[in-house]
Amino acid sequence: MSPGSQGASLSFLQDRKVLIVGVASKRSIAWGIAQAMHRQGAQLAFTYQNEKLRPRVEGMAAECGSDFVLPLDVASDDEIERCFAAIGDRWDGLDTAVHSVGFAPREQLAGGFTDSVTRDGFAIAHDISAYSFAAMAKAARPLMQGRDGSLLTLSYLGAIRAIPNYNVMGPAKASLEAIVRFLAADLGPEGIRVNAISAGPIKTLAAAGISGFRSMLTHVAALSPLRRNVTIDQVGNAAAFLCSDLAAGITGETLYVDAGYRNVGMSLD
Ligand code: NAD
Ligand code: 0WE
């Protein structure tokens, strides 16, 4: 392979062992991340939330040359333990874990914040969308000893701005971004980096049925500096970078992959 060509030596995740949590469809952000990491030479393991999703995730794993597919509902400590034990059995360790999971009961995501928020809705949103990242870090930690590991999660602008209908997911994402900083401080001495990507709105299953989602896409395309929305490939490439040695100096960070939308306070035609 001549220098400058697309040789394996230039793939910046060559042979890195990566766990991808959060693939549900070909539109999933996790799928954009998996494909980008596969292009950079990573070896991938995938999880599926429930048996209904299993065949689909197995087929998509195969497209990335992987037959390593495990069940994982992040609400269960037992399943988290079993999942990481299975990784330790098959691999000599783990370089990267990607957490691309978010959930609140549907009725939390409509109407005003004050009326919609409930104790149960708050607890579920924070458990599945924020605590589960800390739980994954606990389980991944022993597998990442001595190998410059990295952890990545997905956030949204609702963590730092009040966005209509995002409601209790906003506080949950704020908690998630704080967890990123605390994990980074705690695991940094072991060489483990921890970051988030705050993605612009993308039409995925998690966006399906959210009232007004289409007008949000139109709004961002009209007002963002790049005058467009972002794609799962763009998020995937940023994720591959953040989890590679190219980002060796970056930890505790939330990187915005949002066509610049976060940075504008006003936008005129
Ligand atoms: P998606 O529906 O494709 O992915 C969400 C995933 O979460 C699914 O794979 C689902 O199986 C998984 N999940 C939910 N509850 C789970 C549980 N208990 N255990 C295990 N897995 C569970 O949607 P997406 O948009 O790709 O969402 C991925 C991440 O990206 C989420 O954290 C979301 O908040 C974030 N995000 C999405 C957007 C967007 O506009 N789509 C923007 C910014 C951030
Ligand atoms: O984080 C998200 C999606 C979060 C989400 C979506 C659902 C739909 C199905 C969490 N829980 C559920 N529960 C369900 O039952 N995004 C960043 C995408 C999203 O969702 C919104 C958005 C954006 C952007 C909801 C309202 C307003 C904006």
Side-chain angles (χ1 to χ4, degrees):
M1 202 68 73
S2 62
S5 69
Q6 290 288 351
S9 59
L10 295 178
S11 302
F12 55 73
L13 290 173
Q14 193 61 41
D15 298 327
R16 298 283 277 253
K17 301 204 168 55
V18 177
L19 174 67
I20 307 276
V21 179
V23 172
S25 82
K26 294 231 154 171
R27 292 191 155 164
S28 291
I29 292 173
W31 178 233
I33 294 172
Q35 289 176 101
M37 291 187 170
H38 176 58
R39 286 195 295 274
Q40 294 303 331
Q43 293 181 40
L44 303 179
F46 292 82
T47 68
Y48 55 90
Q49 184 189 351
N50 52 50
E51 285 302 315
K52 204 191 104 193
L53 291 172
R54 179 182 188 154
R56 198 186 297 167
V57 175
E58 283 177 345
M60 292 164 72
E63 284 186 44
C64 293
S66 168
D67 67 351
F68 197 4
V69 181
L70 301 160
L72 178 59
D73 183 327
V74 298
S76 159
D77 286 335
D78 239 43
E79 285 198 20
I80 293 172
E81 195 180 307
R82 277 201 292 271
C83 174
F84 284 85
I87 290 166
D89 286 345
R90 173 142 168 192
W91 285 347
D92 56 347
L94 182 67
D95 297 298
T96 294
V98 176
H99 172 276
S100 186
V101 171
F103 179 80
R106 178 170 284 284
E107 65 275 11
Q108 292 288 303
L109 299 171
F113 175 80
T114 318
D115 285 339
S116 72
V117 71
T118 63
R119 194 182 294 276
D120 275 2
F122 182 98
I124 292 169
H126 283 70
D127 183 28
I128 304 302
S129 312
Y131 173 73
S132 68
F133 185 54
M136 276 179 54
K138 273 177 187 274
R141 184 182 197 173
L143 297 172
M144 289 185 171
Q145 293 309 303
R147 51 196 302 152
D148 295 335
S150 62
L151 298 163
L152 181 72
T153 187
L154 272 296
S155 190
Y156 177 60
L157 187 62
I160 61 160
R161 306 255 196 278
I163 307 267
N165 298 315
Y166 201 62
N167 295 348
V168 78
M169 280 300 296
K173 291 299 195 187
S175 169
L176 179 66
E177 291 181 11
I179 287 169
V180 165
R181 291 185 288 271
F182 275 82
L183 287 173
D186 198 34
L187 303 179
E190 297 165 26
I192 302 171
R193 296 181 302 103
V194 188
N195 293 293
I197 287 177
S198 184
I202 300 174
K203 194 167 172 262
T204 62
L205 284 179
I210 304 291
S211 71
F213 193 81
R214 257 194 332 157
S215 34
M216 263 181 278
L217 290 175
T218 308
H219 175 82
V220 169
L223 300 190
S224 66
L226 292 175
R227 297 293 192 272
R228 53 174 166 77
N229 286 287
V230 296
T231 65
I232 62 168
D233 291 310
Q234 290 162 1
V235 176
N237 284 328
F241 157 73
L242 271 182
C243 294
S244 77
D245 283 348
L246 294 175
I250 304 177
T251 195
E253 191 62 271
T254 297
L255 178 64
Y256 284 76
V257 180
D258 67 345
Y261 183 80
R262 191 272 307 251
N263 288 315
V264 297
M266 198 178 296
S267 185
L268 303 175
D269 282 337

